[in-house]
Amino acid sequence: MADELDLLRTADPVPAGGPHYGDGPLDHTAERHLARLLHDTPRPRPRSRRLVWSLAAALAAAVTALAVLQGGPAGTPAVAAPRPLAVRAHSTPVPLADVAELAAVAARDGAPALRQGTHVQSWSLGMSDGGPPVTLPEERVVRWAADGTHTEVVVATDPARPGRPVLTDDGDRTRPVEDGHVLSRRTFPPMWGDAPPYGTPPHDPARLRTYLTELAGGGTRTLTTPELLDATRELLDNWTLGARETAALAALLADAPGLRPAGRVTDRLGRTGQAYVLDAAPGGRRMLILDPATGTVLGLETTFTRDDPEYGVRAGDVMDYSAWMR
């Protein structure tokens, strides 16, 4: 017993050569959650049955976030910020109501089906005093198994060669091609939940609205358009929607005030879509990109609407973007 106590006293819980939370990258979801903690007004959340992350995990995520925003112990070099997406000149805007009708027609046979998990490229601007102004673009594939386990592969994409997926995914195996540097490859134990985002999203517009409202904080209030877009991002970071869920979401977006059709745009993966812009969004201008034939959400981008000399950003700079793939 004495020998065991001596071993415990001399053990180094944080060896110099061991992994450190501060050295790891912050994924897109953690970036967004941290930004909400720092900048949004807190809203009371009702109690519901959902998966509860431990206090230790939350603390680790916060430490990681602060380290990334401050540049990490070695000072992560800044990466050139992406250029904002540009609407094609003289292109004809397609009303959201028309897209919703086409999405409903495309969903009649129910294919493709809903799938838990996501495949997304994302980037975000991490603002801090004296720290690097941006984070590396990354691509993430999350796939769930029938037993409740799921895997997540994250790679850092090459900012000098944007415009195509870096991860190949054949359902059972996810592997990076030559341009992807693997940041993490993890398998998680079985997890279940009946509340968003783990509960299955419905394909009825009214029920989907309730689902997204709970995802945005709960209550009986009507979601604002910025809140609807934030909840949509959260939904697509956890689920790959089927045709019926896509049609239901398109119907909700068609009713969202303030989203104006802007015209045709080529997204960061080279896909052609229709852009819908929310000019009066808090914190920045939002651009939603949809496939006009199916209503599928291809991407979402936020740009600054005014200069902020304190952080060295100008109106029109990209704040964050996501590009979802099937």
Side-chain angles (χ1 to χ4, degrees):
M1 184 69 175
D3 291 340
E4 293 176 356
L5 289 175
D6 288 337
L7 286 173
L8 287 173
R9 291 189 185 103
T10 58
D12 183 2
V14 188
H20 297 276
Y21 285 120
D23 292 338
L26 184 66
D27 65 31
H28 185 72
T29 300
E31 282 270 13
R32 187 170 64 256
H33 288 173
L34 179 67
R36 287 178 181 172
L37 288 172
L38 294 175
H39 303 295
D40 289 1
T41 302
R43 294 191 299 266
R45 293 179 66 91
R47 292 182 177 272
S48 61
R49 291 180 295 167
R50 62 175 66 246
L51 293 171
V52 180
W53 296 99
S54 69
L55 179 60
L59 178 60
V63 170
T64 304
L66 289 175
V68 171
L69 290 180
Q70 294 172 357
T76 306
V79 178
R83 301 173 73 90
L85 295 176
V87 176
R88 296 184 190 177
H90 311 299
S91 60
T92 303
V94 178
L96 263 170
D98 292 355
V99 175
E101 290 181 6
L102 291 172
V105 172
R108 285 176 181 171
D109 63 357
L114 175 72
R115 184 174 66 194
Q116 192 170 18
T118 190
H119 186 178
V120 57
Q121 277 193 12
S122 60
W123 179 91
S124 58
L125 178 69
M127 297 185 297
S128 66
D129 295 327
V134 298
T135 57
L136 282 169
E138 68 176 36
E139 186 169 329
R140 180 168 55 98
V141 170
V142 179
R143 290 291 175 253
W144 286 72
D147 61 0
T149 62
H150 69 281
T151 60
E152 178 189 69
V153 179
V154 181
V155 301
T157 59
D158 184 353
R161 301 181 63 183
R164 62 191 179 90
V166 173
L167 284 168
T168 60
D169 176 40
D170 58 11
D172 296 323
R173 293 175 295 175
T174 303
R175 52 189 179 274
V177 296
E178 67 275 7
D179 295 326
H181 173 68
V182 177
L183 299 175
S184 65
R185 186 188 300 270
R186 295 179 291 180
T187 299
F188 295 86
M191 301 167 65
W192 292 275
D194 58 0
Y198 299 102
T200 303
H203 53 75
D204 171 77
R207 293 175 58 214
L208 182 60
R209 186 186 298 277
T210 300
Y211 183 101
L212 293 175
T213 300
E214 185 172 355
L215 196 56
T220 58
R221 59 195 171 81
T222 301
L223 289 180
T224 65
T225 302
E227 288 174 330
L228 175 60
L229 294 179
D230 286 339
T232 296
R233 186 196 297 272
E234 190 82 9
L235 172 65
L236 297 177
D237 278 347
N238 288 275
W239 292 85
T240 301
L241 299 187
R244 291 173 177 169
E245 293 78 19
T246 293
L249 179 59
L252 297 183
L253 293 169
D255 289 337
L259 270 176
R260 63 174 178 84
R264 208 162 34 153
V265 67
T266 300
D267 79 351
R268 301 185 189 281
L269 299 177
R271 302 170 297 186
T272 298
Q274 281 285 325
Y276 300 89
V277 174
L278 182 66
D279 292 305
R285 175 177 178 263
R286 313 292 291 275
M287 179 186 286
L288 176 73
I289 302 105
L290 301 180
D291 180 336
T294 64
T296 301
V297 178
L298 302 179
L300 186 61
E301 176 182 273
T302 307
T303 55
F304 289 92
T305 54
R306 62 176 183 269
D307 297 349
D308 192 333
E310 181 180 357
Y311 294 108
V313 296
R314 297 180 179 180
D317 286 350
V318 176
M319 184 185 301
D320 60 60
Y321 73 77
S322 294
W324 292 278
M325 295 157 271
R326 183 159 188 92

